[in-house]
Amino acid sequence: MLSPKIPAILLLSVMLQNILFAQDKLNIKFGKVTPEDFNITSPLIDSSTNAVVIAEVGKSEFIANTNDLTFSLKFVVKSRIKIINKNGFDAATVTIPLYVRDNKEEKLSDLSAYTYNLENGKVVETKVAKSSVFTEKSSKNWIVKKFTFPALQEGSIIEYSYEVTSDFFFNLQSWTFQGQYPVLWSQYEANIPEFFKFVILSQGYQPYFINTTEKARVSYSFAERSTQQGSSFASGTGRPLVERFNVDGSIDYHKWVIKNAPPLKEEAYTTTLSNSISKIEFQLNKIAYPNTMIKNYMESWEQVARDLTIDENFGVPINKANNWLDDIVDPIIKGATTQQEKASRIYDYVRENFTCNGSGMYTTGLKDAIKNKGGSVGDINLLLIAMLRNQKIDANPVILSERDHGVAHEFYPLMNRYNYVIAKVSINNTIFYLDASERYLAFGNLPAQVYNGQAREITDDLSTPVYFRADSLTEFNSTNVFISNIDKGPLEGNLKHTYGLYESLELRNSMIKTSPDEFKKSLKQKYAEDIVIDNIEIDSLKLLNQPVGVKYSVKINSFNEDDIVYFNPMLAMSVKKNPFTAAERFYPVEMPYKVYDIYTLSMEIPKGYSIDELPKSVRLKFNEDEGMFEYLIEADKEYINMRCKVVLNKATYTNEDYQPLRDFYAFIVKKEAEQIVFKKIK
């Protein structure tokens, strides 16, 4: 019996702690599915949910490998998923990657997988046969074990578990807490001895429900076979001599849990979901066994620069004398009087004559690139650097990660994060960044996909950070429209739209595959039937240092005998659809550049008509100084004049800004859809 002296508030506190402790644990038992388990409810489940991950649990730990007198990694996974409808059947295909190198491979064991269906109130289980597990080779260093669950139907629960044993210390398994389906419980544990120093990289926008680290002392037991007179057996005994010893140390028990993680779906203005998905990654930094030399696994940036400098597919080709390039470069620069003119000519030559067939930061050979008239980004831009250096022009490679490849880590030299190389050129204290892999990009400009944060300039023994941020770019678009009366017939006028740098680049690239007639047809399809456009001209398509301009004539057939005419002064230039359709967003909005769009209209009031209704002028600020929308319109007896402007002063917005940004664009769409009402004068 509790003492009456215990205060009631303390009693309540103890009860609450017990309740919370119960909530800290997973409330299902893997391997045992009951009829009640099929009744899954969660606010994350709605009409668009095709499957739901009920629970996914992983654990990594180091174990003593007595055969090799070292450690091995053991990785155990257990997962339970409910299939809601046929569109969720993809969740029933499981792939398990296994690393392979130097005649060693990670071993899969204890694979167990079942499909559970509820039939007549009873749970019926169907086991995945071992014969249905297939092996595929996905790359040089990876194989994949793959299987699909049998007896699958809407409402099924699938469950699987397996164990992977690995001798590759660096491959401490990462863990992803989110995916394309809601995840109600995702848990990962990693038990890391003090001998192994890992950098732990955590990312994502979902808060941890549990994030703990506990430390304890452990002892690992090893057994080493001894030999006697060249034999592994003691003389006359027939039994091996075994020497046992222990390795003592501390261990960190890490545990991470995320509850109720929403599905991560790609939406507008997303560089790549890999930047935003909640996950834990590990990078082996060093191994420090007792009484042994520390072995470093993660190099410094200085060491990376030295390694790249002597790399046969990176530094060596551009650091050679490359005198064989004289015959190619000399005719290109003939008559050039300055270093910048030489650099511009060399850049134009490479850009115009070599075709890019994919990303990459290495070259398979400069002579091969010359012979094939193309190659990867690495082939083309390292060739560009070699040709510039041939003329004693200061040029260095800059490695980076494209936007859709994910963000490169600023502090740790994780080289798998880099997939692209450009050239940094210094002429008379002026710096130019060049990418000759883009056919229609002018000297000194870079494609939008390289503006992805931190990059690295590589010299002989130095790796210097360089930053390319989308917030440093502004895309200027302008449209000017003039419409006037004529004596008889429809209103007539002209329109000119001037594209920004990147829309110009996109149009130039698209015109390779699109004929002028097809382009004109696609342009006409944007207009209503009562508006006819003709005499379409494209300016500066081949002048890469100039923005592309498209101009054409406009005829408006609405103003004939109709008593009332509704006319949208934005013509076909309005924002017709809000790009932000999701009700919620759990990661940032990442636009490729800042926005500055301006539209102006000068329109003569149609003869025989008067203005019955005119949209109201409005100015709207977004987050004070981060953007604005302006819609100004006025009319006198003869003319209507309007100016519409959309400005965003940032390219990247946090997920907290998503709803205001969505509302901002909803207002723009609605406002730009408003029409002028003309009434026939009688």
Side-chain angles (χ1 to χ4, degrees):
M1 180 180 294
L2 291 171
S3 169
K5 296 181 180 180
I6 297 178
I9 187 68
L10 178 59
L11 202 59
L12 177 61
S13 174
V14 171
M15 292 172 64
L16 286 175
Q17 286 178 3
N18 288 336
I19 293 171
L20 290 174
F21 180 75
Q23 291 174 339
D24 284 350
K25 295 183 178 180
L26 183 60
N27 59 1
I28 71 167
K29 185 176 181 180
F30 287 104
K32 184 177 181 181
V33 176
T34 66
E36 292 74 25
D37 290 331
F38 287 83
N39 299 320
I40 302 297
T41 59
S42 169
L44 296 177
I45 301 175
D46 56 27
S47 59
S48 66
T49 306
N50 302 317
V52 57
V53 179
I54 300 168
E56 195 161 44
V57 176
K59 183 177 181 179
S60 287
E61 59 182 330
F62 287 79
I63 58 176
N65 184 330
T66 56
N67 290 327
D68 294 337
L69 298 179
T70 182
F71 287 88
S72 294
L73 272 168
K74 185 172 74 171
F75 175 57
V76 178
V77 173
K78 297 179 180 180
S79 181
R80 180 184 289 185
I81 302 169
K82 182 175 182 182
I83 308 300
I84 294 178
N85 56 46
K86 291 181 179 179
N87 293 327
F89 281 7
D90 285 348
T93 298
V94 178
T95 57
I96 305 170
L98 301 172
Y99 190 76
V100 180
R101 193 181 73 180
D102 299 334
N103 297 319
K104 285 187 176 183
E105 66 178 56
E106 294 178 328
K107 301 294 184 183
L108 175 67
S109 61
D110 294 339
L111 175 61
S112 175
Y114 289 86
T115 303
Y116 298 93
N117 290 307
L118 192 60
E119 299 178 5
N120 299 319
K122 295 183 178 181
V123 177
V124 178
E125 65 179 42
T126 306
K127 187 176 183 179
V128 174
K130 291 184 178 180
S131 59
S132 64
V133 180
F134 299 96
T135 303
E136 298 177 357
K137 186 172 183 178
S138 61
S139 67
K140 177 183 176 182
N141 293 114
W142 290 96
I143 61 172
V144 171
K145 299 288 185 177
K146 189 174 183 179
F147 63 91
T148 301
F149 286 82
L152 204 62
Q153 56 186 263
E154 293 183 344
S156 295
I157 286 178
I158 59 174
E159 190 173 290
Y160 63 90
S161 62
Y162 63 86
E163 180 178 305
V164 173
T165 305
S166 173
D167 293 332
F168 303 106
F169 301 139
F170 58 84
N171 201 23
L172 178 55
Q173 296 280 353
S174 60
W175 188 260
T176 301
F177 297 91
Q178 276 182 294
Q180 67 181 110
Y181 306 113
V183 182
L184 305 188
W185 182 282
S186 184
Q187 173 180 315
Y188 188 50
E189 298 178 45
N191 303 339
I192 306 176
E194 64 175 327
F195 322 126
F196 300 93
K197 311 296 183 182
F198 283 90
V199 173
I200 302 177
L201 305 174
S202 175
Q203 70 164 49
Y205 297 89
Q206 294 301 309
Y208 288 109
F209 178 65
I210 298 174
N211 183 1
T212 60
T213 303
E214 296 180 1
K215 191 180 289 290
R217 297 294 298 178
V218 292
S219 181
Y220 293 93
S221 179
F222 293 91
E224 182 177 12
R225 292 176 181 271
S226 301
T227 61
Q228 185 174 19
Q229 296 178 353
S231 171
S232 61
F233 296 93
S235 176
T237 66
R239 302 172 66 182
L241 294 177
V242 177
E243 181 182 353
R244 298 188 180 277
F245 63 94
N246 294 334
V247 177
D248 299 327
S250 65
I251 187 169
D252 288 334
Y253 294 94
H254 298 276
K255 183 177 182 179
W256 300 273
V257 174
I258 289 181
K259 288 175 60 177
N260 300 320
L264 204 58
K265 299 177 181 178
E266 188 159 345
E267 299 166 15
Y269 300 118
T270 304
T271 55
T272 174
L273 287 179
S274 66
N275 284 343
S276 302
I277 195 167
S278 293
K279 65 180 177 181
I280 290 282
E281 293 180 285
F282 304 88
Q283 295 289 333
L284 182 59
N285 187 7
K286 60 185 68 175
I287 295 178
Y289 291 128
N291 304 315
T292 62
M293 293 285 292
I294 294 175
K295 186 174 182 180
N296 292 310
Y297 280 80
M298 185 181 292
E299 297 177 335
S300 65
W301 276 116
E302 291 75 18
Q303 186 60 48
V304 166
R306 289 191 287 270
D307 290 345
L308 286 174
T309 299
I310 60 174
D311 193 304
E312 292 292 333
N313 299 113
F314 189 88
V316 172
I318 60 177
N319 290 324
K320 290 180 179 179
N322 290 321
N323 295 327
W324 59 274
L325 284 171
D326 292 347
D327 293 338
I328 299 172
V329 176
D330 288 349
I332 297 170
I333 63 167
K334 186 177 181 180
T337 57
T338 66
Q339 290 290 80
Q340 184 168 336
E341 188 177 0
K342 290 180 181 179
S344 182
R345 288 194 186 184
I346 291 170
Y347 169 78
D348 287 343
Y349 172 81
V350 177
R351 176 184 55 76
E352 292 172 0
N353 291 280
F354 293 83
T355 302
C356 181
N357 59 21
S359 299
M361 53 177 274
Y362 297 96
T363 178
T364 56
L366 301 186
K367 290 185 178 180
D368 287 340
I370 293 283
K371 178 182 176 181
N372 299 326
K373 289 294 182 183
S376 68
V377 169
D379 288 319
I380 292 172
N381 284 330
L382 291 178
L383 174 62
L384 170 66
I385 292 169
M387 294 174 72
L388 291 168
R389 289 183 174 183
N390 177 268
Q391 291 300 307
K392 305 297 187 274
I393 296 171
D394 185 3
N396 290 321
V398 176
I399 60 172
L400 52 86
S401 173
E402 292 177 280
R403 285 167 66 89
D404 61 4
H405 187 252
V407 174
H409 205 283
E410 184 168 357
F411 301 110
Y412 302 113
L414 311 179
M415 296 308 295
N416 62 331
R417 303 286 181 94
Y418 294 83
N419 76 322
Y420 208 92
V421 62
I422 60 174
K424 177 187 176 182
V425 179
S426 300
I427 301 174
N428 298 327
N429 297 320
T430 301
I431 294 174
F432 303 92
Y433 293 102
L434 306 178
D435 182 359
S437 69
E438 277 284 357
R439 178 62 58 89
Y440 298 106
L441 203 59
F443 183 89
N445 291 324
L446 292 173
Q449 73 258 22
V450 310
Y451 285 83
N452 194 31
Q454 183 248 184
R456 288 276 169 171
E457 178 187 2
I458 303 298
T459 55
D460 288 348
D461 57 359
L462 194 62
S463 169
T464 307
V466 184
Y467 297 91
F468 300 101
R469 295 189 173 96
D471 283 328
S472 67
L473 302 176
T474 302
E475 183 81 336
F476 294 95
N477 287 281
S478 66
T479 305
N480 298 290
V481 183
F482 178 76
I483 298 173
S484 63
N485 282 305
I486 56 174
D487 292 336
K488 295 180 181 180
L491 296 178
E492 290 188 356
N494 56 71
L495 178 149
K496 182 173 182 180
H497 179 75
T498 303
Y499 292 84
L501 168 65
Y502 293 106
E503 288 195 7
S504 294
L505 178 61
E506 185 178 344
L507 181 59
R508 288 179 174 118
N509 281 317
S510 68
M511 291 304 290
I512 302 172
K513 305 173 184 177
T514 306
S515 69
D517 289 339
E518 289 173 329
F519 174 74
K520 292 176 182 179
K521 183 179 179 181
S522 66
L523 198 59
K524 290 179 179 180
Q525 288 174 345
K526 298 179 181 179
Y527 285 84
E529 292 181 1
D530 57 356
I531 298 178
V532 178
I533 66 172
D534 208 349
N535 305 314
I536 300 171
E537 298 179 14
I538 304 177
D539 294 335
S540 305
L541 201 59
K542 296 183 179 180
L543 301 176
L544 304 189
N545 59 347
Q546 298 293 326
V548 174
V550 176
K551 57 184 179 181
Y552 44 85
S553 61
V554 179
K555 280 186 181 181
I556 303 171
N557 294 318
S558 305
F559 299 93
N560 293 319
E561 302 301 323
D562 295 335
D563 290 337
I564 296 178
V565 176
Y566 296 89
F567 176 75
N568 187 333
M570 294 293 298
L571 297 181
M573 296 295 166
S574 61
V575 179
K576 295 180 176 62
K577 184 179 179 182
N578 191 336
F580 307 108
T581 57
E584 292 182 281
R585 183 157 172 159
F586 302 97
Y587 53 91
V589 174
E590 300 164 308
M591 297 182 174
Y593 35 68
K594 297 184 291 187
V595 173
Y596 192 102
D597 290 346
I598 186 166
Y599 175 93
T600 62
L601 169 77
S602 179
M603 177 181 180
E604 196 172 359
I605 296 174
K607 290 180 180 179
Y609 285 85
S610 63
I611 298 173
D612 190 51
E613 292 182 24
L614 192 70
K616 293 181 180 180
S617 295
V618 66
R619 283 193 181 97
L620 177 67
K621 288 186 177 181
F622 177 69
N623 285 359
E624 295 298 328
D625 60 349
E626 292 182 359
M628 62 92 68
F629 172 65
E630 181 181 78
Y631 186 106
L632 304 179
I633 188 167
E634 61 181 9
D636 56 24
K637 293 181 179 180
E638 296 183 3
Y639 282 93
I640 299 169
N641 291 294
M642 78 165 292
R643 182 179 71 189
C644 185
K645 186 161 58 174
V646 178
V647 178
L648 287 175
N649 294 321
K650 288 172 57 179
T652 304
Y653 294 88
T654 65
N655 51 327
E656 287 82 4
D657 284 326
Y658 176 74
Q659 191 58 50
L661 194 60
R662 186 180 184 227
D663 294 342
F664 180 69
Y665 266 89
F667 184 88
I668 293 172
V669 170
K670 184 177 179 181
K671 187 64 183 177
E672 292 188 350
E674 291 182 359
Q675 301 184 85
I676 302 171
V677 181
F678 292 96
K679 194 171 184 179
K680 196 171 183 64
I681 300 172
K682 295 184 179 179

